[in-house]
Amino acid sequence: MTIRGYAHAHPRRVTAVVSAVGYALVLGTFAGVLPVFPAIGEQTVLLLSDAIAVINTCALSALLLGYYFVKRGRIRAHRAAMLTAFALILLFLVAYLWKVGGGFEKEIVIEQGQFLAAYAGVVHPLYLAMLAIHILLSALAVPVVVHAVVLGLSHDVAELPDTDHPLAGKLAVASWSLSLALGVVTYWLLNHVYSWVPR
C-alpha cells in the first residue's frame, strides 16, 4: 500500500502521528532535550524574528486566498494556496525552533515615552493576552490543519465533500488565521512599538 493509500484509508491515524511529531519537536526544543540547533547570536535572532513575521504574513495571505478560492469553486487555486500556506508554516516552524533552540526569546518592555506608555498597566496585559491566544490557537490548530491537509492530499476532489475536510478546513482557517494575525500584531508591538529584553 502506498503512503497516499494508507492516508486515504486511515487519515486520522496519519493526522495523529504527524501532529505528535510536531508537538514533540516543539516541546523537546523548549525543554532543551533536542539540542539540534546550532547556537546563534543576537543579530541572527533578530533576523529570524523579522523573517518569521514575513513568513506568517505570507501564510495568512495564502490562507485567506485559499478560503476565497474555495468559496468561488476554484478548487485547484484553493489547493495551491492552502499547500503554500502549509509549506510556509513548516518553514515558520523551522525558523522558530532555530530561534528558540539556538538563541533566545524576547520579553516586552514598555519604556517611558513610548506609545501609550502611561497605560502600560493595560497595554502589557493586553499584549500578553494576545500572545497567549496566539500560542494557544497555534497549538490547538495543529491537528485540525494537519487533518485537513491529509484529507486534501489523500482523497480525490469528488470524495472530499463526504469527508471531514470541509469542517476541518473551516476550523483550520478560523483558528489558524486568528493565530497568525495575532502573531503578526504581537511581533510589531514587541519589535517596532516597544522594547524588549532577552528571556
Side-chain angles (χ1 to χ4, degrees):
M1 179 180 285
T2 64
I3 293 175
R4 186 175 189 268
Y6 185 85
H8 185 280
H10 308 286
R12 291 185 180 176
R13 287 185 197 171
V14 174
T15 297
V17 170
V18 173
S19 299
V21 169
Y23 286 134
L25 285 172
V26 172
L27 294 175
T29 299
F30 274 99
V33 297
L34 288 176
V36 296
F37 299 97
I40 56 177
E42 181 175 308
Q43 289 305 313
T44 306
V45 169
L46 297 179
L47 179 63
L48 285 174
S49 296
D50 294 339
I52 286 168
V54 171
I55 291 167
N56 283 347
T57 302
C58 292
L60 177 58
S61 300
L63 191 63
L64 295 176
L65 271 174
Y67 181 75
Y68 170 84
F69 288 141
V70 78
K71 283 297 182 184
R72 277 144 189 81
R74 297 174 58 187
I75 302 304
R76 291 184 66 173
H78 163 75
R79 179 185 172 99
M82 290 309 193
L83 289 178
T84 298
F86 188 68
L88 287 167
I89 279 305
L90 293 179
L91 182 59
F92 153 79
L93 185 60
V94 171
Y96 180 72
L97 292 180
W98 188 17
K99 181 179 78 109
V100 173
F104 57 86
E105 287 196 278
K106 302 173 184 176
E107 184 174 335
I108 194 168
V109 176
I110 302 174
E111 297 177 341
Q112 191 172 7
Q114 291 179 326
F115 180 67
L116 296 178
Y119 302 96
V122 174
V123 174
H124 192 263
L126 184 60
Y127 167 84
L128 292 177
M130 287 190 294
L131 185 62
I133 294 169
H134 161 67
I135 293 170
L136 181 63
L137 286 176
S138 294
L140 294 177
V142 170
V144 180
V145 170
V146 170
H147 193 54
V149 171
V150 167
L151 288 168
L153 291 176
S154 63
H155 288 69
D156 295 328
V157 172
E159 297 176 298
L160 288 176
D162 298 323
T163 69
D164 295 334
H165 185 79
L167 177 60
K170 288 176 185 174
L171 292 174
V173 167
S175 58
W176 200 5
S177 295
L178 182 56
S179 174
L180 288 168
L182 288 174
V184 172
V185 170
T186 53
Y187 159 81
W188 277 100
L189 291 174
L190 179 63
N191 294 279
H192 298 289
V193 178
Y194 300 111
S195 304
W196 58 268
V197 292
R199 182 170 55 184

